[in-house]
Amino acid sequence: MTEARGSAGPNGDTNARHTPGTPCWVSLMVHGLAATQDFYGALFGWEFQPGPQQLGPYVRALLDGHEVAGIGQLPPDRHLPIAWTPYLASDDVDLTAETVRLCGGTIGVGPLDAAEAGRLAIGSDPSGAVFGIWQAAAHLGTGITGVPGTPAWNELLTYESVSVAKFYETVFGYEEEPVVSADFDYVTLHVDGRPVAGIQGVGHALPRDRGPHWITYFEVADAAESVSHLVDLGGHVLSSPKDSPHGRVATVADPEGARFSLIEGPR
């Protein structure tokens, strides 16, 4: 992780339409929708309201009245890895989906309309990491950042960064900024000169049961306190809070196994 700050102002409002390529939403598909709402509601202070049902039962998480994330219910017969999925903004999801295919990725869902909220597709890059594409209509995406309980950063963990970075560059028009280091394989993706996401190559350190995957960082006021609370709620600690140039970071999982990170920004 090289950057973890969004583009929101001090009050966290991000009501403008997201520039193409910018992560604009995160969504989680689970088996136990009610239990998952209880977990994240207690952890982040989220409240919930029904969302578009195109892919089955779905709710939007709100913080202080602002939409921050989505949680949906998987059909009982779908045994997919439970994971937070970032949605990347597009002005034309059909064109972006076709470009994904032409560049060696796959489209597993859509493109399809999510009622009047917008149009979406879910795909995977050539290494198999799953991501969403969102063309906004009534729903612009995450409505608040920069405060505890909101997404702060999205990062792709993959085998090596170079080839997969080229895929995302071609599809979404990112500029990239590699970290020059003999022992650290990292590329930061930029939109209009602003860092929006990262790609970290970790070789064979990838979890065997996951393969390449995106991970979302959520902002918290106190990483140690949040980790303790998460454990009390039935979550799991994968990596205890550690200091980084961008604050204290812990990697955790919810009761169904969805991995995410908590970041306590520098004071």
Side-chain angles (χ1 to χ4, degrees), residues 1 3-6 43-44 146-153 216-228 239-252 260-267:
M1 178 178 184
E3 299 283 351
R5 307 267 62 85
L43 182 64
F44 291 139
V147 297
T150 62
W153 185 248
T216 298
Y217 288 70
F218 291 96
E219 187 147 338
V220 294
D222 185 312
E225 187 178 293
S226 294
V227 164
S228 176
S239 175
S240 297
K242 294 181 177 62
D243 288 325
S244 79
H246 308 284
R248 287 182 66 75
V249 176
T251 303
V252 297
F260 58 101
S261 288
L262 304 173
I263 179 165
E264 172 192 341
R267 298 181 185 277

Side-chain angles (χ1 to χ4, degrees), residues 44-252:
F44 291 139
W46 291 350
E47 298 177 334
F48 298 92
Q49 67 179 22
Q53 309 289 305
Q54 268 65 24
L55 302 178
Y58 191 84
V59 295
R60 291 183 184 152
L62 282 77
L63 187 67
D64 296 329
H66 298 279
E67 295 178 349
V68 292
I71 302 175
Q73 184 161 324
L74 284 167
D77 59 341
R78 295 297 296 276
H79 300 289
L80 301 172
I82 307 297
W84 280 101
T85 300
Y87 279 72
L88 309 174
S90 170
D91 284 340
D92 185 335
V93 69
D94 294 79
L95 179 60
T96 301
E98 184 59 29
T99 308
V100 166
R101 294 188 187 98
L102 291 172
C103 292
T106 59
I107 296 295
V109 176
L112 57 84
D113 290 325
E116 67 282 350
R119 190 162 170 80
L120 68 89
I122 300 173
S124 56
D125 66 29
S127 73
V130 175
F131 61 93
I133 307 165
W134 182 252
Q135 180 180 335
H139 174 60
L140 297 179
T142 300
I144 182 172
T145 61
V147 297
T150 62
W153 185 248
N154 288 281
E155 189 167 276
L156 173 62
L157 299 181
T158 190
Y159 297 111
E160 52 85 28
S161 68
V162 174
S163 60
V164 76
K166 295 296 182 192
F167 166 83
Y168 286 99
E169 260 185 71
T170 304
V171 174
F172 292 102
Y174 296 121
E175 310 105 39
E176 66 170 75
E177 183 179 296
V179 173
V180 181
S181 171
D183 56 357
F184 191 55
D185 177 13
Y186 200 98
V187 170
T188 305
L189 301 176
H190 290 71
V191 170
D192 295 336
R194 179 173 62 86
V196 296
I199 299 176
Q200 184 174 358
V202 296
H204 297 295
L206 274 172
R208 288 182 180 275
D209 62 332
R210 291 284 157 157
H213 62 281
W214 282 90
I215 189 161
T216 298
Y217 288 70
F218 291 96
E219 187 147 338
V220 294
D222 185 312
E225 187 178 293
S226 294
V227 164
S228 176
H229 192 196
L230 172 135
V231 171
D232 290 342
L233 294 168
H236 309 281
V237 181
L238 305 177
S239 175
S240 297
K242 294 181 177 62
D243 288 325
S244 79
H246 308 284
R248 287 182 66 75
V249 176
T251 303
V252 297

